[in-house]
Amino acid sequence: MLIEFRVKNFRSLRDEQVLSLVASKDNTLQDTHTLASDLNTVPRLLRSAVIYGANASGKSNLLKALQYMRGVVLESATVIQPDQVYSIQPFRLDTVSASQPSEFEVTFALGSVRYQYGFTMTAQRIINEYLLVYKSAKPQRWFERWYDSETGKDVYEFGPGMKGSKALWEGATRSNSLFLSMAVQLNSDSLRPVFDWFSSSLVIFNEHNKLNPQTSLQMLKNSGGRKQICDFLSAADISISDIELVTQKVPGQTVHFDLTAGKTEIRNEEVEKQQLRFSHVTPHGKAVFDLMDESGGTRNLLFLAGPVLEILQKGLTLVIDELDTSLHTLLVRELVHLFHQPDINTGGAQLVFTTHDTSLLDAPDLFRRDQIWFVEKDQDQASTLVSLSEFSPRKNEALERGYLMGRYGGIPFLNHSLGLNS
């Protein structure tokens, strides 16, 4: 479960920004919107968080920062080459920040153990890297690594909790790779859970990582999965009684290689094509529609259904940028409700998303105050992330109206002297 994410000097996020999913002491909607952790220091975590902000305010950059951190963890030891530089972008609108490294830190829980992992980097190298493990209230520093500019070498310190071939992993870690990633590549059992959290427990969808329909299509191939998806769509008030995945033979072309003769031949042959058919039933009749007959929102929700059902079952963390661009506001509400229903969200899954849909702010019992965040830019064009809780709104306050009036920030300042009326 995600507890906290910190980032500094990444794109428009110049100063350190903190997104926390630690629940406040407010008991409002506690049983549905929060979940109990196994941590004494962090007893309850939020099941969801929503982030608002004007266009170009930096809210998408916050999710990109988390995605970038994930990418460095997963690829620095295997994909990045020894002399390759990263395409990282620090804040470039002041000369000091432009020359400084970028910083990332994530804190998450696996059972009763809390992990706090972070690193600092430039385009050329890793400057600092560390891992703190909380098996009790007192942290264990498993390792820390930093760059000594005087010697031009990395310095390592290991704690007693760090087990395994530390000297081997240290020697194999390049200046532009993470020790965590290299150690796991070389079979570190102790660091594997941290790496696996990034690779398997953190799911991010945005413009750089589009939603893949294959998960939903695979589920539709068996009766159990098909029923789950139909129930999911029914929960969102979409009147689809059944979905059938039909395989048909259609004219097509196939490529054949003749290795002996060294020739390639293109043949006209029948190929298999899969089609979805949706059964709709009403009191006055029934009909079957193809995929393209369904609305764009239904198609998007269908392709989201598979990943969401898997995330709810496994207790993963789902991060989505601009969820409202693909789903109607009522569908967004239903999706959030799924994460807030303990009988459905049995694995302790979490949802973090950005949106422009202000109507969600006043939707009855959709969010607690500590689940709502705002991003805005200051006069230096640096983005700032603020929780609604910091404004201490009244219990019955009209949040949507207050937000649109600029009471909490995160809205565009419109220039009314653009000459449109001249």
Side-chain angles (χ1 to χ4, degrees), residues 72-78 108 115 117 129 131 142-143 156 158 162-166 168-170 172-173 177-200:
V72 176
V73 170
L74 299 187
E75 298 181 355
S76 67
T78 54
F108 60 92
Y115 295 88
Y117 172 72
E129 183 185 3
L131 173 64
W142 279 20
F143 75 85
Y156 286 81
F158 297 101
M162 184 68 204
K163 309 297 183 182
S165 306
K166 297 183 284 291
L168 171 65
W169 303 332
E170 176 184 337
T173 302
S177 65
L178 294 172
F179 175 80
L180 167 70
S181 307
M182 186 59 70
V184 171
Q185 185 70 15
L186 297 175
N187 300 318
S188 168
D189 293 331
S190 56
L191 294 180
R192 169 63 68 177
V194 181
F195 185 90
D196 286 349
W197 185 86
F198 283 97
S199 65
S200 304

Side-chain angles (χ1 to χ4, degrees), residues 269-280:
E269 296 180 345
E270 285 189 335
V271 296
E272 289 188 349
K273 181 180 179 181
Q274 293 181 329
Q275 288 185 320
L276 291 173
R277 298 191 181 278
F278 299 83
S279 298
H280 290 257

Side-chain angles (χ1 to χ4, degrees), residues 256-263:
H256 293 263
F257 298 97
D258 188 336
L259 299 179
T260 304
K263 295 181 180 180

Side-chain angles (χ1 to χ4, degrees), residues 67-68 148 174 188 237 252 269 278:
Q67 183 181 40
Y68 197 91
D148 187 338
R174 305 185 306 269
S188 168
D237 200 28
E269 296 180 345
F278 299 83

Side-chain angles (χ1 to χ4, degrees), residues 200-219:
S200 304
S201 297
L202 180 62
V203 182
I204 302 175
F205 293 132
N206 61 8
E207 61 181 308
H208 300 299
N209 186 30
K210 301 290 187 180
L211 186 65
N212 190 331
Q214 288 305 313
T215 303
S216 295
L217 294 178
Q218 284 296 119
M219 290 185 66

